[in-house]
């Protein structure tokens, strides 16, 4: 029986997405040989309720010198993190010698406002090019994987932290035991560990199955996070639900007894119970919806191709690897994907080998349909690309079901 990566309990598989590539490994078109594949499947622990991948991809294959995701690419996310930084500056970083550490600081999108305010900070992120970008903006950054040994090195060199923050990163890290031991060592006695990640409740509600890929090892709920924290003498003291990235929860964790848990924690736990988020049957039902979406999307794209319509995709996101490879999409159904990230352009998508072009290709001329892979930035993109619809173009969305707008 497979074991839970966090507590060793029995893990039950609920959905198999099949053979999948590394979601961020965009390939040079003449170098497709030897592409890495693994089996993407998701399961739930019967003991601690943690939902997680059944197979782990070695971390160096995902996070390295050429990791191509730059957090500052989205205006909405820049504002979200600026707001987060201001909030920390006003509340937690007001003492005599404040210090904040960010795990997965990427290009410094959150720490920029902290650095500009002259407050002591440190980013820890293993991906070389993105951390170099952060350093070029004056943000103190270590290029390293955060884990227990790294946390102890930070304590020795810099002292303990008031705040440890992480966004869209903790769910990427299978070795959560080492993370939590490191956090427990690095935090000041009244410090807080705040992290936000895609929320299982939203994923189930919207059937947003493309949130499941190699980098998203865990799909958290408040209950699973609370169970995890308790094993390390820590306590879940607050939760906050946001709409960004298709629905995320921000968890605030403190040392056991250090802070009074806010009522929002019990409220979310009760809501999760009412929705059956810790029940296998809920995830099995989700799996049936995934299969229906897959069938509907393939049917629609095949029909459009047979009618001679031009279909391109918008946003060469990591999450699109799951939908493209689950549905067997290729250049025969989707002409190309446009994306603003120079590091992805003139390459092909992982596994599905659809060419990636710059945003100018989208308008030259506009296609009949655009498959919105970056649906989590739909408001921002639809506002930016109004001309497409004025020209008769239609967006194809596939969560919570396949539809056009
Ligand atoms: N925090 C940014 C945001 O929300 O936009 C970046 C999120 S990005 C999806 C995930 C980041 O986590 C990457 O920059 C990756 O290099 C980093 N990462 C992965 N494993 C890590 C670890 N063990 N310690 C620190 N960072 C890690």
């Amino acid at each position: 029986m497979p074991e839970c990566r966090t507590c060793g309990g029995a893990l039950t598989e609920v959905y198999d997405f099949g053979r999948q590539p590394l979601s961020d490994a965009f390939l040079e078109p003449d170098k497709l040989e030897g592409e890495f594949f693994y089996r993407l499947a998701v399961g739930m622990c019967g003991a601690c309720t943690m939902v997680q991948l059944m197979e782990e991809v070695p971390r160096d294959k995902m996070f390295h010198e050429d990791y191509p995701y730059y957090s500052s690419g989205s205006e909405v996310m820049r504002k979200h993190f600026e707001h987060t930084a201001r909030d920390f500056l006003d509340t937690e970083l007001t003492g005599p010698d404040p210090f904040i550490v960010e795990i997965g600081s990427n290009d410094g999108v959150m720490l920029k406002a902290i650095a500009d305010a002259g407050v002591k900070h440190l980013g820890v992120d293993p991906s070389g090019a993105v951390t170099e970008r952060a350093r070029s903006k004056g943000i103190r950054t270590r290029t390293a994987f955060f884990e227990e040994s790294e946390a102890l090195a930070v304590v020795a060199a810099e002292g303990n932290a008031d705040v440890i923050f992480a966004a869209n990163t903790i769910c990427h890290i299978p070795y959560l035991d080492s993370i939590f031991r490191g956090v427990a060592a690095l935090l000041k006695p009244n410090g807080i560990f705040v992290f936000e990640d895609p929320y299982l409740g939203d994923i189930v509600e919207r059937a947003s199955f493309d949130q499941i890929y190699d980098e998203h090892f865990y799909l958290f709920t408040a209950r699973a996070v609370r169970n995890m924290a308790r094993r390390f003498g820590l306590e879940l003291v607050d939760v906050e639900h946001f709409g960004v990235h298709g629905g995320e929860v921000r968890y605030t964790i403190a040392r056991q007894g250090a802070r009074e848990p806010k009522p929002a924690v019990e409220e979310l736990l009760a809501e999760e119970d009412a929705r059956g988020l810790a029940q296998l049957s809920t995830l099995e039902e989700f799996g049936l919806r995934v299969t229906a979406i897959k069938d509907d999307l393939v049917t629609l794209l095949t029909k459009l191709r047979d009618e001679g319509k031009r279909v391109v995709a918008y946003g060469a996101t990591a999450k699109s690897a799951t939908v493209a490879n689950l549905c067997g999409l290729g250049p025969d159904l989707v002409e190309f994907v446009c994306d603003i990230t120079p590091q992805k352009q003139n390459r092909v998508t992982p596994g599905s080998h659809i060419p990636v072009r710059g945003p100018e290709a989208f308008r030259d001329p506009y296609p009949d349909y655009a498959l919105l892979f970056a649906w989590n930035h739909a408001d921002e993109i639809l506002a930016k690309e109004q001309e497409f619809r004025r020209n008769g173009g239609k967006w194809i969305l596939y969560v919570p079901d396949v539809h056009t707008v």
Side-chain angles (χ1 to χ4, degrees):
M1 188 80 178
E3 286 183 1
C4 170
R5 188 69 168 78
T6 65
C7 80
L11 201 55
T12 305
E13 184 169 319
V14 287
Y15 199 83
D16 183 352
F17 292 86
R19 191 171 168 265
Q20 292 273 344
L22 297 168
S23 60
D24 262 321
F26 291 82
L27 309 161
E28 291 177 40
D30 56 349
K31 290 189 187 146
L32 305 180
E33 292 282 297
E35 189 172 8
F36 178 88
F37 286 92
Y38 70 104
R39 187 178 79 95
L40 176 66
V42 70
M44 180 186 269
C45 172
C48 74
T49 77
M50 188 74 88
V51 175
Q52 58 201 274
L53 300 192
M54 303 298 292
E55 281 183 26
E56 185 175 333
V57 171
R59 64 186 190 177
D60 306 309
K61 287 198 179 295
M62 298 183 283
F63 310 114
H64 43 66
E65 182 58 33
D66 300 323
Y67 180 66
Y69 180 73
Y70 288 73
S71 304
S72 297
S74 155
E75 171 74 18
V76 170
M77 293 314 295
R78 278 204 302 276
K79 286 200 175 120
H80 172 78
F81 288 125
E82 228 175 85
H83 183 77
T84 303
R86 302 242 157 272
D87 213 37
F88 286 139
L89 287 168
D90 292 345
T91 55
E92 301 292 333
L93 301 173
T94 54
D97 187 19
F99 179 34
I100 179 167
V101 173
E102 183 175 1
I103 306 173
S105 46
N106 198 270
D107 62 4
V109 67
M110 196 286 288
L111 287 178
K112 176 85 174 70
I114 306 272
D116 289 349
V119 168
K120 183 173 167 188
H121 63 275
L122 183 69
V124 182
D125 194 303
S127 299
V130 295
T131 51
E132 199 40 53
R133 177 78 59 88
R135 277 191 288 271
S136 75
K137 295 190 238 172
I139 296 156
R140 297 180 66 236
T141 309
R142 286 167 78 111
T143 303
F145 285 98
F146 186 90
E147 55 194 326
E148 189 181 12
S149 56
E150 178 64 16
L152 295 175
V154 172
V155 176
E158 312 266 353
N160 294 92
D162 298 272
V163 178
I164 303 174
F165 178 69
N168 308 300
T169 296
I170 299 303
C171 75
H172 291 53
I173 306 180
Y175 39 101
L176 275 191
D177 49 341
S178 176
I179 296 296
F180 273 78
R181 280 197 303 273
V183 163
L186 179 54
L187 273 188
K188 285 183 185 169
N190 193 34
I192 50 169
F193 174 34
V194 181
F195 66 93
E196 58 194 55
D197 279 300
Y199 180 52
L200 182 70
D202 291 306
I203 294 169
V204 165
E205 186 179 318
R206 299 172 185 204
S208 45
F209 63 96
D210 54 353
Q211 292 280 22
I212 302 171
Y213 53 96
D214 54 350
E215 294 174 19
H216 284 183
F217 190 83
Y218 294 109
L219 308 175
F220 293 130
T221 57
R223 183 160 306 282
V225 168
R226 187 182 69 160
N227 289 343
M228 182 79 209
R230 277 183 172 166
R231 289 205 293 281
F232 298 89
L234 301 168
E235 193 174 9
L236 180 62
V237 295
D238 201 6
V239 287
E240 208 179 336
H241 194 187
F242 297 108
V244 297
H245 282 319
E248 302 213 318
V249 168
R250 176 179 288 179
Y251 306 93
T252 301
I253 286 169
R255 293 191 193 281
Q256 201 88 49
R259 297 199 186 200
E260 186 67 27
K262 298 257 177 71
V265 175
E266 279 306 323
E267 284 163 20
L268 188 57
L269 289 169
E271 189 186 313
E272 289 179 356
D273 286 347
R275 295 177 58 192
L277 283 187
Q279 283 167 22
L280 272 179
S281 56
T282 304
L283 288 187
E284 283 160 2
E285 158 74 12
F286 163 80
L288 294 176
R289 290 174 68 199
V290 176
T291 302
I293 290 173
K294 169 190 163 187
D295 293 345
D296 289 351
L297 186 58
V298 172
T299 302
L300 174 64
L301 293 174
T302 307
K303 175 174 155 289
L304 293 174
R305 179 194 59 194
D306 294 348
E307 287 171 357
K309 303 286 191 221
R310 280 187 66 223
V311 179
V312 310
Y314 199 106
T317 56
K319 62 166 70 64
S320 64
T322 300
V323 63
N325 288 279
L326 178 72
C327 297
L329 307 185
D332 58 323
L333 292 175
V334 177
E335 197 179 310
F336 61 85
V337 189
C338 63
D339 195 283
I340 54 168
T341 316
Q343 290 81 354
K344 296 179 183 178
Q345 292 163 9
N346 303 318
R347 296 196 169 218
V348 297
T349 56
S352 49
H353 302 167
I354 303 169
V356 183
R357 308 241 164 91
E360 63 291 343
F362 185 55
R363 291 162 211 124
D364 186 27
Y366 282 118
D368 299 301
Y369 288 84
L371 178 59
L372 188 54
F373 278 152
W375 58 263
N376 51 322
H377 298 298
D379 291 346
E380 196 173 347
I381 293 169
L382 265 61
K384 193 167 101 187
E385 300 291 1
Q386 290 180 27
E387 204 49 34
F388 168 55
R389 274 167 65 180
R390 279 194 211 110
N391 274 269
K394 286 206 167 100
W395 295 99
I396 302 172
L397 287 116
Y398 49 89
V399 293
D401 50 26
V402 177
H403 60 284
T404 56
V405 291

